[in-house]
Coordinates of all heavy atoms in Angstrom, one line a residue:
A234 N 27.0 25.6 -4.0 CA 25.7 26.2 -4.3 C 25.9 27.3 -5.4 O 25.1 27.5 -6.3 CB 25.1 26.7 -3.1
N235 N 27.0 28.0 -5.2 CA 27.3 29.2 -6.1 C 28.0 28.8 -7.4 O 27.8 29.5 -8.4 CB 28.1 30.2 -5.4 CG 27.3 30.9 -4.2 OD1 26.1 31.0 -4.3 ND2 28.0 31.2 -3.1
N236 N 28.9 27.8 -7.3 CA 29.7 27.5 -8.4 C 29.5 26.1 -9.1 O 30.0 25.8 -10.1 CB 31.2 27.6 -8.0 CG 31.5 29.0 -7.5 OD1 31.7 29.9 -8.2 ND2 31.6 29.1 -6.1
R237 N 28.8 25.2 -8.3 CA 28.5 23.9 -8.8 C 29.7 23.0 -9.1 O 29.7 22.1 -9.9 CB 27.6 24.0 -10.0 CG 26.2 24.6 -9.7 CD 25.5 25.0 -10.9 NE 26.1 25.9 -11.8 CZ 26.2 27.3 -11.5 NH1 25.7 27.8 -10.4 NH2 26.8 28.1 -12.3
V238 N 30.8 23.3 -8.3 CA 32.0 22.6 -8.4 C 32.8 22.8 -7.1 O 32.6 23.8 -6.4 CB 32.8 23.1 -9.7 CG1 33.3 24.5 -9.4 CG2 33.9 22.2 -10.0
L239 N 33.7 22.0 -6.8 CA 34.6 22.1 -5.7 C 36.0 22.4 -6.1 O 36.3 22.4 -7.3 CB 34.6 20.8 -4.8 CG 33.2 20.5 -4.2 CD1 33.2 19.2 -3.5 CD2 32.7 21.6 -3.2
T240 N 36.9 22.7 -5.2 CA 38.2 23.3 -5.5 C 39.4 22.3 -5.6 O 40.5 22.7 -5.8 CB 38.6 24.4 -4.5 OG1 38.7 23.8 -3.2 CG2 37.5 25.5 -4.5
N241 N 39.1 21.0 -5.3 CA 40.2 20.0 -5.2 C 41.3 20.4 -4.3 O 42.5 20.4 -4.6 CB 40.8 19.7 -6.6 CG 39.8 19.1 -7.6 OD1 38.9 18.4 -7.2 ND2 40.0 19.4 -8.9
S242 N 40.9 20.8 -3.1 CA 41.8 21.3 -2.1 C 41.4 20.8 -0.7 O 40.2 20.5 -0.5 CB 42.0 22.8 -2.1 OG 40.7 23.4 -1.7
K243 N 42.3 20.8 0.3 CA 42.0 20.4 1.6 C 42.7 21.4 2.6 O 43.8 21.8 2.4 CB 42.4 19.0 1.9 CG 43.9 18.7 1.8 CD 44.2 17.2 2.2 CE 45.7 17.0 2.1 NZ 46.0 15.6 2.4
E244 N 41.9 21.6 3.7 CA 42.6 22.4 4.8 C 43.5 21.5 5.5 O 43.3 20.2 5.6 CB 41.5 22.9 5.7 CG 40.6 24.0 5.0 CD 39.5 24.5 6.0 OE1 39.6 24.2 7.2 OE2 38.7 25.3 5.5
S245 N 44.5 22.0 6.1 CA 45.6 21.2 6.8 C 45.5 21.3 8.3 O 46.2 20.6 9.0 CB 47.0 21.6 6.3 OG 47.2 23.0 6.5
N246 N 44.7 22.2 8.8 CA 44.6 22.4 10.3 C 43.6 21.5 10.9 O 42.4 21.7 10.9 CB 44.3 23.9 10.6 CG 43.0 24.3 10.0 OD1 42.7 24.0 8.8 ND2 42.2 25.1 10.7
Y247 N 44.1 20.3 11.3 CA 43.2 19.4 12.1 C 42.6 20.1 13.3 O 43.3 20.8 14.0 CB 44.0 18.1 12.5 CG 44.6 17.3 11.4 CD1 45.7 16.6 11.6 CD2 44.1 17.4 10.1 CE1 46.3 15.8 10.6 CE2 44.7 16.6 9.1 CZ 45.8 15.9 9.3 OH 46.4 15.2 8.3
R248 N 41.4 19.8 13.6 CA 40.7 20.6 14.7 C 39.6 19.8 15.2 O 39.1 18.7 14.7 CB 40.2 21.9 14.1 CG 39.3 21.8 12.9 CD 39.1 23.2 12.4 NE 38.1 23.3 11.3 CZ 38.5 23.2 10.0 NH1 39.8 23.1 9.7 NH2 37.6 23.3 9.0
P249 N 39.0 20.2 16.3 CA 37.8 19.5 16.9 C 36.6 19.5 15.9 O 36.5 20.4 15.1 CB 37.5 20.4 18.2 CG 38.8 21.0 18.5 CD 39.5 21.3 17.2

Side-chain angles (χ1 to χ4, degrees):
N235 293 326
N236 301 283
R237 298 167 297 286
V238 70
L239 297 173
T240 62
N241 294 332
S242 64
K243 63 179 178 179
E244 295 183 7
S245 58
N246 56 320
Y247 301 154
R248 55 188 183 269

